[in-house]
Every structure is written in C-alpha cells, then in structure tokens.
Amino acid sequence: MNKGKVYLIGVGPGDPELLTLKAVRILAKVDIVLIDSLVEHSIRHFLRPQAQVIEVGKRGGQPSTDQAEINQMLVEYARQGLLVARVKGGDPFIFGRGGEELAVLNDAEIETEVLGGLTAGIALPGNLQVPLTHRDLAKGVSFISGCNKTFDNDYQWHELISLNHTLVIYMGLNKVQDIADALIASGMARGTPAMAVQDGSLATEKAVFAPLLHLARAIKQEQLQSPTLIVIGEVVALSPHWDEENIAQALYGANILVEAAR
Ligand code: SAH
C-alpha cells in the first residue's frame, strides 16, 4: 500500500491566479481534498477528475464540520494510504487553524507538508494599492482577528496603537463598530484612514474607504458581507481610491464613502 500524506495548502484569497505553482502541481496529484467552501471554485479546475472533494466549511447556513472531525478525517484518509489535500483560503497558518491540524497530524505521525499561500491581509491591500508598511507612515503591520479568544474588553489597544503599525483585521466585520470605538477611546485619531474590502480578488469585490470614525457606517451603507477584511492606518490614504475631498466632507456627515471601482 502507498504511504499516505497530508498537504496543508493555502490557496490565496480567491482569484485562482493567486495560487502558487507548487499548489497547482500538488493539487493535480491528490486523491482527496478537504476544503472550505469559500475557496472551492478557485481550485476545482486543477484537480484530477477522480479526486474526491469533501466540503467541510460553512455553506448556505449549514454549520461547518466540527474541527475534531476534520482532524480525524485527515488522519484516517492518510492512514488509508491516500494523498490528502487540506485546502484553506489565504495562508493556512494565518487565522486558518492550520497550526491545530498540523499538531494533530504530527502527533499521529502522519507525513505532512505545508504549502503557504498568499494571505488576504497581504494580497488585498496590495490590489487596492495600499502599501502596508511605509518608512514615514507605518513602522510595521499587525494582523489581528476580530473574533478570536484574544478579542475581548481586555484587548491591549493602547499597546497596539503605540506600535505605530498598520492594522489588518480579519473576521472583524461584525465587530467593526466596537473595534473602531475601542481604538478611538484608546487614542487613535478619529480621522485615521481606514478601508474594508469584501470578496477581495474576486469579480464580486467591493471596497469602502472612510475615516475610522465612519468606517462602520460606510460598511453598513454599502452592505458589505463576509468575507471582509479591514485595514486601518495612514497608509490607506496612499491608495488612489482614497478620495481626500469626499472623505473630508465625510467628517461633516455628507458623502461618507468612496467605492473602489475595479
Ligand atoms: N487563512 C486566511 C484567513 C482565514 S480567516 C488567510 O490567510 O487569508 C477568514 C477571514 O479572512 C475573513 O473573515 C476575512 O476577514 C479574510 N478574508 C479571506 N479571504 C478574503 C477575501 N477574498 N476578501 C475579503 N476578506 C477575506
């Protein structure tokens, strides 16, 4: 019997052209694919016709497969001698639970290979011409999650602000008002440039640009849905989509957003 193996593969934010060549090569030889539904369309084309695809992500309001169940499936399929791809959007180790799955596979002594992918937090600001770091405007960049165990009232917003980093917030859509309020209460300027992008890199991409104070309102007005990525920092104003005049008006309650035309 062949020896099974699991590939933890990141496939980027959605546009199939953002897959790595290595991911494409490996996808073309695996027997079985466990996939989050968000990224399904970007890889189908590269699989063997015989490859079995199992969707474990959320879809149409259905609950996603339990993480423990996914872990068990990975181990069992590999033990059957199959080549298994565990495919995730973006990069598997950026808010993708890749670390948890890796630990289970290593404990079970399953051969595992990790193929990094282009994370949404890097790919999407870049597409919208927002440079995440800049010698004059941002000393670095922090990737944070809007909805994990670390986000609660105790979150150290002051410390985060003092780093002078661009903030890239994953899974922050439902908490955007709370996050903006907390940042402003902790000393961040109300007019700090901010943006949010839904379905980044896909045909349905939609982005809004607004000062931090109005970000939540702009997102609501444009009815952005998940998945949406949020970026906050002076660098956002370097994008040609940041319209200084409109946004100055926004501070007085007029036209509050600029939609990025693609
Ligand atoms: N591992 C993934 C992130 C998983 S968390 C990565 O590295 O990109 C899921 C969150 O990622 C979403 O809630 C959203 O904030 C962000 N995201 C992923 N793909 C996106 C896309 N195409 N457009 C906008 N946001 C995206």
Side-chain angles (χ1 to χ4, degrees), residues 13 89-91 94-96 119-120 124 169-171 197-200 226-229:
D91 184 274
I94 299 288
F95 303 125
T119 189
L124 306 184
I169 304 170
Y170 292 72
M171 297 176 281
V197 53
Q198 172 201 320
D199 290 347
S226 185
T228 285
L229 183 90

mmCIF file of all heavy atoms in Angstrom, residues 13 89-91 94-96 119-120 124 169-171 197-200 226-229, ligand 1:
data_model
loop_
_atom_site.group_PDB
_atom_site.id
_atom_site.type_symbol
_atom_site.label_atom_id
_atom_site.label_comp_id
_atom_site.label_asym_id
_atom_site.label_seq_id
_atom_site.Cartn_x
_atom_site.Cartn_y
_atom_site.Cartn_z
ATOM 1 N N PRO A 13 -6.568 34.342 -1.672
ATOM 2 C CA PRO A 13 -7.855 34.916 -1.301
ATOM 3 C C PRO A 13 -9.025 34.578 -2.220
ATOM 4 O O PRO A 13 -10.159 34.943 -1.933
ATOM 5 C CB PRO A 13 -7.591 36.419 -1.333
ATOM 6 C CG PRO A 13 -6.469 36.598 -2.278
ATOM 7 C CD PRO A 13 -5.624 35.358 -2.181
ATOM 8 N N GLY A 89 -8.298 28.894 2.496
ATOM 9 C CA GLY A 89 -8.144 30.200 1.863
ATOM 10 C C GLY A 89 -6.914 30.904 2.418
ATOM 11 O O GLY A 89 -6.511 30.653 3.557
ATOM 12 N N GLY A 90 -6.315 31.751 1.614
ATOM 13 C CA GLY A 90 -5.171 32.543 2.083
ATOM 14 C C GLY A 90 -3.994 31.667 2.433
ATOM 15 O O GLY A 90 -3.586 30.801 1.647
ATOM 16 N N ASP A 91 -3.454 31.855 3.620
ATOM 17 C CA ASP A 91 -2.353 31.041 4.117
ATOM 18 C C ASP A 91 -2.884 30.163 5.254
ATOM 19 O O ASP A 91 -3.669 30.635 6.080
ATOM 20 C CB ASP A 91 -1.235 31.962 4.656
ATOM 21 C CG ASP A 91 -0.038 31.149 5.101
ATOM 22 O OD1 ASP A 91 -0.023 30.692 6.269
ATOM 23 O OD2 ASP A 91 0.870 30.938 4.280
ATOM 24 N N ILE A 94 -2.391 31.598 8.892
ATOM 25 C CA ILE A 94 -2.887 32.911 9.330
ATOM 26 C C ILE A 94 -4.387 32.749 9.588
ATOM 27 O O ILE A 94 -5.176 32.637 8.654
ATOM 28 C CB ILE A 94 -2.641 34.003 8.258
ATOM 29 C CG1 ILE A 94 -1.144 34.179 7.978
ATOM 30 C CG2 ILE A 94 -3.266 35.329 8.709
ATOM 31 C CD1 ILE A 94 -0.353 34.860 9.067
ATOM 32 N N PHE A 95 -4.745 32.696 10.843
ATOM 33 C CA PHE A 95 -6.138 32.536 11.275
ATOM 34 C C PHE A 95 -6.852 31.422 10.511
ATOM 35 O O PHE A 95 -8.021 31.562 10.142
ATOM 36 C CB PHE A 95 -6.909 33.859 11.124
ATOM 37 C CG PHE A 95 -6.270 34.989 11.875
ATOM 38 C CD1 PHE A 95 -5.933 36.164 11.230
ATOM 39 C CD2 PHE A 95 -5.985 34.865 13.219
ATOM 40 C CE1 PHE A 95 -5.327 37.208 11.914
ATOM 41 C CE2 PHE A 95 -5.377 35.894 13.918
ATOM 42 C CZ PHE A 95 -5.050 37.071 13.264
ATOM 43 N N GLY A 96 -6.129 30.350 10.259
ATOM 44 C CA GLY A 96 -6.746 29.273 9.484
ATOM 45 C C GLY A 96 -6.766 27.941 10.220
ATOM 46 O O GLY A 96 -7.100 26.916 9.643
ATOM 47 N N THR A 119 -1.811 35.350 1.887
ATOM 48 C CA THR A 119 -2.875 35.668 2.843
ATOM 49 C C THR A 119 -3.663 36.907 2.390
ATOM 50 O O THR A 119 -3.109 37.813 1.761
ATOM 51 C CB THR A 119 -2.283 35.856 4.258
ATOM 52 O OG1 THR A 119 -3.369 35.961 5.184
ATOM 53 C CG2 THR A 119 -1.406 37.086 4.386
ATOM 54 N N ALA A 120 -4.956 36.911 2.727
ATOM 55 C CA ALA A 120 -5.832 38.029 2.325
ATOM 56 C C ALA A 120 -5.244 39.365 2.784
ATOM 57 O O ALA A 120 -5.283 40.357 2.063
ATOM 58 C CB ALA A 120 -7.227 37.831 2.924
ATOM 59 N N LEU A 124 -4.839 41.615 -0.557
ATOM 60 C CA LEU A 124 -5.944 42.525 -0.876
ATOM 61 C C LEU A 124 -5.582 44.001 -0.737
ATOM 62 O O LEU A 124 -5.908 44.805 -1.628
ATOM 63 C CB LEU A 124 -7.193 42.161 -0.066
ATOM 64 C CG LEU A 124 -7.611 40.688 -0.216
ATOM 65 C CD1 LEU A 124 -8.904 40.423 0.517
ATOM 66 C CD2 LEU A 124 -7.712 40.285 -1.675
ATOM 67 N N ILE A 169 -7.249 43.641 9.974
ATOM 68 C CA ILE A 169 -8.174 42.899 10.841
ATOM 69 C C ILE A 169 -8.973 41.883 10.029
ATOM 70 O O ILE A 169 -9.716 42.234 9.112
ATOM 71 C CB ILE A 169 -9.120 43.860 11.582
ATOM 72 C CG1 ILE A 169 -8.276 44.887 12.355
ATOM 73 C CG2 ILE A 169 -10.046 43.091 12.513
ATOM 74 C CD1 ILE A 169 -9.068 46.037 12.931
ATOM 75 N N TYR A 170 -8.780 40.629 10.378
ATOM 76 C CA TYR A 170 -9.518 39.522 9.761
ATOM 77 C C TYR A 170 -10.771 39.280 10.600
ATOM 78 O O TYR A 170 -10.749 39.439 11.827
ATOM 79 C CB TYR A 170 -8.686 38.239 9.779
ATOM 80 C CG TYR A 170 -7.459 38.231 8.897
ATOM 81 C CD1 TYR A 170 -6.340 38.986 9.213
ATOM 82 C CD2 TYR A 170 -7.408 37.424 7.760
ATOM 83 C CE1 TYR A 170 -5.210 38.951 8.414
ATOM 84 C CE2 TYR A 170 -6.280 37.382 6.957
ATOM 85 C CZ TYR A 170 -5.179 38.151 7.287
ATOM 86 O OH TYR A 170 -4.062 38.121 6.492
ATOM 87 N N MET A 171 -11.825 38.812 9.963
ATOM 88 C CA MET A 171 -13.046 38.402 10.679
ATOM 89 C C MET A 171 -13.554 39.509 11.599
ATOM 90 O O MET A 171 -14.054 39.229 12.687
ATOM 91 C CB MET A 171 -12.785 37.119 11.489
ATOM 92 C CG MET A 171 -12.421 35.935 10.616
ATOM 93 S SD MET A 171 -11.998 34.456 11.559
ATOM 94 C CE MET A 171 -10.324 34.815 12.062
ATOM 95 N N VAL A 197 -12.672 45.608 2.571
ATOM 96 C CA VAL A 197 -12.876 45.005 1.248
ATOM 97 C C VAL A 197 -13.532 43.635 1.396
ATOM 98 O O VAL A 197 -13.111 42.806 2.201
ATOM 99 C CB VAL A 197 -11.552 44.929 0.432
ATOM 100 C CG1 VAL A 197 -10.438 44.250 1.207
ATOM 101 C CG2 VAL A 197 -11.761 44.236 -0.915
ATOM 102 N N GLN A 198 -14.624 43.480 0.647
ATOM 103 C CA GLN A 198 -15.354 42.209 0.629
ATOM 104 C C GLN A 198 -14.996 41.454 -0.649
ATOM 105 O O GLN A 198 -14.823 42.070 -1.712
ATOM 106 C CB GLN A 198 -16.860 42.504 0.639
ATOM 107 C CG GLN A 198 -17.736 41.279 0.434
ATOM 108 C CD GLN A 198 -19.136 41.620 -0.047
ATOM 109 O OE1 GLN A 198 -19.733 42.587 0.404
ATOM 110 N NE2 GLN A 198 -19.646 40.818 -0.957
ATOM 111 N N ASP A 199 -14.896 40.127 -0.566
ATOM 112 C CA ASP A 199 -14.647 39.284 -1.747
ATOM 113 C C ASP A 199 -13.417 39.745 -2.527
ATOM 114 O O ASP A 199 -13.424 39.767 -3.765
ATOM 115 C CB ASP A 199 -15.851 39.290 -2.703
ATOM 116 C CG ASP A 199 -17.046 38.558 -2.142
ATOM 117 O OD1 ASP A 199 -16.888 37.849 -1.137
ATOM 118 O OD2 ASP A 199 -18.144 38.696 -2.716
ATOM 119 N N GLY A 200 -12.404 40.147 -1.815
ATOM 120 C CA GLY A 200 -11.198 40.656 -2.465
ATOM 121 C C GLY A 200 -10.630 39.674 -3.466
ATOM 122 O O GLY A 200 -10.622 38.467 -3.224
ATOM 123 N N SER A 226 -19.601 39.049 4.671
ATOM 124 C CA SER A 226 -18.416 38.219 4.888
ATOM 125 C C SER A 226 -18.071 37.487 3.572
ATOM 126 O O SER A 226 -19.003 37.113 2.854
ATOM 127 C CB SER A 226 -18.741 37.198 5.974
ATOM 128 O OG SER A 226 -17.613 36.465 6.284
ATOM 129 N N PRO A 227 -16.814 37.298 3.212
ATOM 130 C CA PRO A 227 -15.620 37.689 3.961
ATOM 131 C C PRO A 227 -15.216 39.129 3.678
ATOM 132 O O PRO A 227 -15.176 39.548 2.522
ATOM 133 C CB PRO A 227 -14.549 36.730 3.417
ATOM 134 C CG PRO A 227 -14.952 36.505 1.989
ATOM 135 C CD PRO A 227 -16.456 36.556 1.979
ATOM 136 N N THR A 228 -14.948 39.846 4.737
ATOM 137 C CA THR A 228 -14.485 41.227 4.601
ATOM 138 C C THR A 228 -13.231 41.430 5.445
ATOM 139 O O THR A 228 -13.168 40.976 6.589
ATOM 140 C CB THR A 228 -15.600 42.208 5.023
ATOM 141 O OG1 THR A 228 -16.596 42.255 3.993
ATOM 142 C CG2 THR A 228 -15.065 43.617 5.219
ATOM 143 N N LEU A 229 -12.272 42.091 4.854
ATOM 144 C CA LEU A 229 -11.012 42.404 5.530
ATOM 145 C C LEU A 229 -10.973 43.909 5.804
ATOM 146 O O LEU A 229 -11.370 44.701 4.947
ATOM 147 C CB LEU A 229 -9.849 42.015 4.614
ATOM 148 C CG LEU A 229 -8.463 42.221 5.199
ATOM 149 C CD1 LEU A 229 -8.026 40.952 5.934
ATOM 150 C CD2 LEU A 229 -7.442 42.551 4.119
HETATM 151 N N1 SAH B 1 -6.296 31.916 6.243
HETATM 152 C C1 SAH B 1 -6.985 33.041 5.648
HETATM 153 C C2 SAH B 1 -7.827 33.789 6.648
HETATM 154 C C3 SAH B 1 -8.933 32.980 7.263
HETATM 155 S S1 SAH B 1 -9.918 33.918 8.359
HETATM 156 C C4 SAH B 1 -5.948 33.971 5.001
HETATM 157 O O1 SAH B 1 -4.737 33.795 5.224
HETATM 158 O O2 SAH B 1 -6.339 34.868 4.246
HETATM 159 C C5 SAH B 1 -11.203 34.474 7.278
HETATM 160 C C6 SAH B 1 -11.120 35.981 7.137
HETATM 161 O O3 SAH B 1 -10.110 36.322 6.182
HETATM 162 C C7 SAH B 1 -12.371 36.613 6.606
HETATM 163 O O4 SAH B 1 -13.300 36.852 7.642
HETATM 164 C C8 SAH B 1 -11.828 37.915 6.041
HETATM 165 O O5 SAH B 1 -11.565 38.848 7.081
HETATM 166 C C9 SAH B 1 -10.491 37.473 5.470
HETATM 167 N N2 SAH B 1 -10.585 37.113 4.040
HETATM 168 C C10 SAH B 1 -10.169 35.975 3.473
HETATM 169 N N3 SAH B 1 -10.365 35.996 2.138
HETATM 170 C C11 SAH B 1 -10.933 37.192 1.855
HETATM 171 C C12 SAH B 1 -11.379 37.815 0.661
HETATM 172 N N4 SAH B 1 -11.281 37.209 -0.516
HETATM 173 N N5 SAH B 1 -11.903 39.062 0.755
HETATM 174 C C13 SAH B 1 -12.003 39.694 1.943
HETATM 175 N N6 SAH B 1 -11.600 39.141 3.107
HETATM 176 C C14 SAH B 1 -11.063 37.912 3.069
#
